[in-house]
Amino acid sequence: LVHSGDVSGGHYHSFIRPMDSEGQRNQWFKFDDEIVSKATEYEVMESNFGGEEWTSFKGPFKTVDQPLPKRTTSAYMLIYVKKADEVSLLKPPLNSTISPERVAQFRSERVRDAQQRKEREEAHLYTTISIVQYDQLLEYDGMDLPEAKFELKIKRQQTIAEMKVLLSERLNIPVEDVSVYSTSSLRSREIRIDRLMYSTDLMPYWQNLYFVDDERRHGDLARQAGKIVICKFYDAEKQQLRNLGSMKFMTSDTYPTILSRARTLIGLPQTTELKFCNDHGLDQTGDVLIFQVLPIAPTSLTLSAYLAQLQNRITVTFKPFKQSTLPLTFSDGKVVSLNYPTDKEFVLELSRDMVYPVFMQKLADQLNIEWNLPEKIDPQNICLYQINGQTRLPVFSNRFLPRNDSTLQGIMLWCDTKSAAVIPFEVLEVKVPELETHRIVTLQVCTVDCRLLPLERYFISQTAPVSQLIQIVEKRHNTTDIWSDYNGELVLVSVDRHRFITLESTQSRRICDMSFHFPLRVDAVPSPTKPSSFTDKFTAKFTTKSPLTAVLHFTYSDGRIEYHGIPFYIYLEKEWTALRFKEEISRRLRLNRDEVLAWKVATFQYGAASFVADDAVLSDMRDLREIGLQHGPRQASLPTERRAAEKSIRIL
């Protein structure tokens, strides 16, 4: 018994060497589910031990060892039989012990295998042709032939007469009324009816698509060697191209004769004024004749414009995505939230040359019908996104900024839709053109005791200073929720998990100067308990003697630093010792004083931690941009019941 795969998964199969009719065991067989095949002794004995195998070959200067592909098959179970029991256990089975159902299954499999083998051997003698029928013309609005309705497998040496017999049986049409037309491809890659195939013709080896017509519908012209054309009727009021089917005519037919027969097909009075146009001329079989009633209303779309639109027609799937379900806060304090379904796609029939405002209005109209929101969706609130080439998901950082001259074809190339015409979109709370001068900022507020509030979104001008964004955040929140019994200021920072990246709240920094590569956080920083010697606190915090310091939680083992917890900022008093600093931390974070006093204080330099004694004055240190607190994760400060519950959750 052999296992193929690795420790995470695989497949089992077995090798058996049964006794033949002469009582010998010479041939091994591989039993792999329902497939039984012969196996060599090397495949059984040498290839089922896993591991790597090497081979050697002589190079121009020396012998080179090269590894072979790693083997994934390993012997899983070996079955040994006593020699005394070999005859009784491994003797050929009696026919009476095999169920009749299994015997019938084996026989049917042999018949099936023989049939498949015969088909493979005779495959070069047959060909498969596709058939297009008359009723398909009535359902298809393209300029060429529709896709084949069914396929027919025939011998390559058969004649058209033999093919007609097969078609008459399949379509239930008398043989004498079956007409077979070959097809051809134009330079525009459109497929058209080419010529009538006669009964004595052989099957052309290059032809695989045929048009089959019932000659009974052509009346007196059925037996004459006329030409067949595809007829369509353009309704200018409905902007619809209706198929009339095929029409057969003689080269001697005049235009009035053709128009008279067309009025009969359309169902119009003979006094109706008609005109027709064709794309290649009446001298070719398979032309498309398009009839139109005169006169045409000035507001109606002309036939040439409609055909151009029809030629560029494409089915586009618009897939809704919602980057965030958070409400959006504006500079004036207004909060807007949109809730709409994101699990339903929208399919629209559009034209490739349709400009941006037109197809966006069609999308907005479809959304208003489907979603039925209290307020109508403005097309300018719909944002299109680019698609990632690998994940096929929208890239929210790459949004399409609207231009009125942009066509749908150009936008699809920009979206990287590949073969599938799928465009992701999102309905925003603001106008998309405003995103050229404004930005949607997502951030999180950290209170003075290091509690993280839920994520929030703000809409602000890109040229606005960072201080304006902080003022908007402060207006939105109740100060008691952030400060408790403290007073201070808010600072904007970039955070990468447990460490600060950048202090964004510089005096001259603007929204457009921020990188947005890391999550943003607004931190509450308490003011110093004593008046600072700096006259301008906002400017002083960025000098070399800045009292504003980042506090990080970390563990230290074997010279390796691992950060954890929520970092925060604090103002250091000039005469603070490490012990006084830890007392302030315990009061601010509302932790047990004895627990915090057991922590170690350290400064960081060149990626290493330098521990500080409790009586050392922190302001005498060289670099105070970051101060660390060495301790384990803050589980000891939690109540006993809560620690037990969290431990149980982790175990589960």
Side-chain angles (χ1 to χ4, degrees), residues 187-214:
R187 290 185 178 180
S188 59
R189 297 184 180 180
E190 295 175 353
I191 305 299
R192 297 295 176 83
I193 301 172
D194 188 11
R195 68 181 184 87
L196 179 66
M197 305 292 294
Y198 295 98
S199 300
T200 56
D201 291 343
L202 293 176
M203 295 290 301
Y205 66 91
W206 68 86
Q207 187 71 44
N208 61 355
L209 180 65
Y210 293 88
F211 173 73
V212 177
D213 198 8
D214 187 354

Side-chain angles (χ1 to χ4, degrees), residues 71-317:
R71 291 182 296 201
T72 60
T73 53
S74 300
Y76 181 75
M77 184 184 298
L78 301 179
I79 302 173
Y80 294 89
V81 177
K82 289 183 179 181
K83 288 186 176 181
D85 300 330
E86 179 182 4
V87 177
S88 60
L89 291 178
L90 300 181
K91 63 182 179 180
L94 299 176
N95 293 336
S96 59
T97 61
I98 304 176
S99 65
E101 293 81 4
R102 189 66 61 191
V103 174
Q105 177 185 351
F106 291 156
R107 290 175 178 173
S108 63
E109 289 179 355
R110 290 179 180 176
V111 173
R112 182 192 61 191
D113 294 342
Q115 181 67 25
Q116 292 178 353
R117 191 182 309 109
K118 182 179 178 182
E119 291 179 357
R120 288 194 299 268
E121 294 174 353
E122 298 180 353
H124 65 284
L125 302 177
Y126 290 85
T127 184
T128 301
I129 61 174
S130 302
I131 302 299
V132 177
Q133 291 183 253
Y134 174 81
D135 57 347
Q136 292 176 261
L137 296 177
L138 303 178
E139 303 170 358
Y140 184 68
D141 56 356
M143 294 300 294
D144 54 357
L145 289 180
E147 295 183 0
K149 191 172 185 179
F150 66 91
E151 294 180 342
L152 193 65
K153 185 177 181 180
I154 61 176
K155 286 187 176 182
R156 295 182 181 273
Q157 299 300 323
Q158 282 184 321
T159 61
I160 297 298
E162 294 172 328
M163 176 181 170
K164 287 184 176 182
V165 174
L166 296 176
L167 289 172
S168 66
E169 296 175 355
R170 178 71 179 266
L171 304 177
N172 196 20
I173 301 175
V175 178
E176 59 273 10
D177 293 329
V178 176
S179 293
V180 179
Y181 292 84
S182 62
T183 59
S184 62
S185 178
L186 305 180
R187 290 185 178 180
S188 59
R189 297 184 180 180
E190 295 175 353
I191 305 299
R192 297 295 176 83
I193 301 172
D194 188 11
R195 68 181 184 87
L196 179 66
M197 305 292 294
Y198 295 98
S199 300
T200 56
D201 291 343
L202 293 176
M203 295 290 301
Y205 66 91
W206 68 86
Q207 187 71 44
N208 61 355
L209 180 65
Y210 293 88
F211 173 73
V212 177
D213 198 8
D214 187 354
E215 291 290 354
R216 290 177 295 182
R217 71 170 51 88
H218 296 304
D220 296 336
L221 297 174
R223 301 293 176 264
Q224 302 181 29
K227 297 183 180 296
I228 188 170
V229 295
I230 301 173
C231 301
K232 299 176 183 292
F233 173 67
Y234 174 61
D235 191 339
E237 295 182 0
K238 298 181 180 180
Q239 293 187 8
Q240 181 180 10
L241 194 63
R242 181 160 60 93
N243 287 274
L244 304 177
S246 61
M247 182 170 64
K248 197 170 186 180
F249 69 97
M250 306 301 296
T251 54
S252 59
D253 287 344
T254 60
Y255 285 171
T257 304
I258 296 175
L259 293 177
S260 175
R261 294 177 59 190
R263 294 187 187 97
T264 305
L265 282 176
I266 302 172
L268 297 175
Q270 291 295 329
T271 56
T272 306
E273 185 178 0
L274 278 182
K275 80 167 187 176
F276 71 91
C277 66
N278 65 304
D279 50 354
H280 289 88
L282 283 176
D283 57 342
Q284 179 178 342
T285 298
D287 286 331
V288 178
L289 299 184
I290 304 176
F291 299 91
Q292 185 178 5
V293 177
L294 297 178
I296 303 173
T299 57
S300 300
L301 195 65
T302 62
L303 177 59
S304 58
Y306 177 79
L307 291 178
Q309 179 177 329
L310 187 65
Q311 186 177 5
N312 295 318
R313 183 182 58 182
I314 185 173
T315 301
V316 183
T317 301

Side-chain angles (χ1 to χ4, degrees), residues 473-601:
V473 175
E474 193 170 8
K475 288 180 181 179
R476 176 176 177 179
H477 289 275
N478 188 354
T479 54
T480 58
D481 294 339
I482 302 177
W483 295 111
S484 183
D485 54 347
Y486 282 86
N487 288 316
E489 62 176 315
L490 299 178
V491 295
L492 183 66
V493 293
S494 298
V495 186
D496 183 14
R497 299 188 64 185
H498 309 296
R499 291 197 66 184
F500 292 111
I501 300 298
T502 308
L503 182 65
E504 306 285 358
S505 302
T506 59
Q507 190 173 12
S508 60
R509 198 168 183 84
R510 299 179 301 173
I511 299 296
C512 60
D513 299 329
M514 299 166 58
S515 62
F516 294 94
H517 292 311
F518 296 95
L520 296 176
R521 218 174 74 187
V522 173
D523 276 24
V525 183
S527 298
T529 56
K530 296 180 181 179
S532 176
S533 59
F534 298 97
T535 55
D536 189 355
K537 181 177 62 176
F538 193 81
T539 306
K541 71 176 81 169
F542 302 104
T543 63
T544 56
K545 295 294 184 181
S546 172
L548 188 62
T549 303
V551 182
L552 311 177
H553 302 274
F554 75 100
T555 57
Y556 193 74
S557 60
D558 299 331
R560 183 179 178 182
I561 299 176
E562 292 186 1
Y563 298 96
H564 62 85
I566 303 174
F568 59 94
Y569 276 104
I570 192 171
Y571 279 107
L572 291 178
E573 293 289 341
K574 279 192 173 183
E575 303 302 326
W576 271 6
T577 62
L579 181 63
R580 175 71 181 86
F581 169 73
K582 289 189 286 186
E583 290 178 348
E584 178 64 21
I585 295 299
S586 66
R587 187 174 75 89
R588 176 175 170 181
L589 301 184
R590 300 180 182 180
L591 299 177
N592 183 274
R593 180 177 179 273
D594 296 334
E595 176 192 350
V596 178
L597 293 180
W599 296 351
K600 293 182 180 180
V601 180

Side-chain angles (χ1 to χ4, degrees), residues 327-331 333-336 457-460 472 476:
L328 187 65
T329 303
F330 291 82
S331 302
K334 180 183 177 182
V335 180
V336 178
R457 291 197 308 158
Y458 295 87
F459 184 70
I460 190 169
I472 300 173
R476 176 176 177 179

Side-chain angles (χ1 to χ4, degrees), residues 224-482:
Q224 302 181 29
K227 297 183 180 296
I228 188 170
V229 295
I230 301 173
C231 301
K232 299 176 183 292
F233 173 67
Y234 174 61
D235 191 339
E237 295 182 0
K238 298 181 180 180
Q239 293 187 8
Q240 181 180 10
L241 194 63
R242 181 160 60 93
N243 287 274
L244 304 177
S246 61
M247 182 170 64
K248 197 170 186 180
F249 69 97
M250 306 301 296
T251 54
S252 59
D253 287 344
T254 60
Y255 285 171
T257 304
I258 296 175
L259 293 177
S260 175
R261 294 177 59 190
R263 294 187 187 97
T264 305
L265 282 176
I266 302 172
L268 297 175
Q270 291 295 329
T271 56
T272 306
E273 185 178 0
L274 278 182
K275 80 167 187 176
F276 71 91
C277 66
N278 65 304
D279 50 354
H280 289 88
L282 283 176
D283 57 342
Q284 179 178 342
T285 298
D287 286 331
V288 178
L289 299 184
I290 304 176
F291 299 91
Q292 185 178 5
V293 177
L294 297 178
I296 303 173
T299 57
S300 300
L301 195 65
T302 62
L303 177 59
S304 58
Y306 177 79
L307 291 178
Q309 179 177 329
L310 187 65
Q311 186 177 5
N312 295 318
R313 183 182 58 182
I314 185 173
T315 301
V316 183
T317 301
F318 290 90
K319 193 170 185 178
F321 285 91
K322 195 165 182 61
Q323 187 178 2
S324 176
T325 58
L326 303 174
L328 187 65
T329 303
F330 291 82
S331 302
D332 56 358
K334 180 183 177 182
V335 180
V336 178
S337 179
L338 290 179
N339 294 318
Y340 58 86
T342 58
D343 56 348
K344 184 177 181 181
E345 301 176 351
F346 300 93
V347 179
L348 297 179
E349 292 283 346
L350 303 174
S351 177
R352 296 179 186 272
D353 58 353
M354 193 174 289
V355 293
Y356 178 84
V358 176
F359 75 79
M360 289 300 287
Q361 183 63 52
K362 289 182 175 292
L363 176 59
D365 295 341
Q366 186 68 22
L367 294 179
N368 291 324
I369 295 174
E370 296 289 342
W371 288 350
N372 194 22
L373 297 178
E375 296 183 2
K376 297 296 184 182
I377 296 177
D378 193 319
Q380 294 190 357
N381 288 84
I382 303 176
C383 185
L384 307 180
Y385 291 104
Q386 204 169 29
I387 294 179
N388 187 292
Q390 296 180 347
T391 63
R392 311 308 301 167
L393 295 176
V395 182
F396 290 110
S397 58
N398 296 343
R399 62 171 60 92
F400 180 77
L401 296 178
R403 292 177 50 185
N404 291 339
D405 58 345
S406 300
T407 61
L408 178 60
Q409 177 69 15
I411 294 176
M412 289 175 58
L413 293 175
W414 174 84
C415 288
D416 192 22
T417 57
K418 301 295 182 184
S419 59
V422 179
I423 299 180
F425 74 94
E426 180 184 13
V427 180
L428 301 177
E429 299 90 340
V430 296
K431 307 293 184 185
V432 175
E434 296 182 34
L435 297 178
E436 297 187 24
T437 57
H438 290 69
R439 183 180 285 272
I440 297 177
V441 180
T442 302
L443 54 83
Q444 199 169 17
V445 176
C446 182
T447 63
V448 72
D449 55 350
C450 289
R451 290 182 296 107
L452 292 178
L453 302 183
L455 287 170
E456 303 166 0
R457 291 197 308 158
Y458 295 87
F459 184 70
I460 190 169
S461 173
Q462 294 192 23
T463 58
V466 174
S467 57
Q468 181 178 344
L469 175 61
I470 296 177
Q471 292 174 3
I472 300 173
V473 175
E474 193 170 8
K475 288 180 181 179
R476 176 176 177 179
H477 289 275
N478 188 354
T479 54
T480 58
D481 294 339
I482 302 177

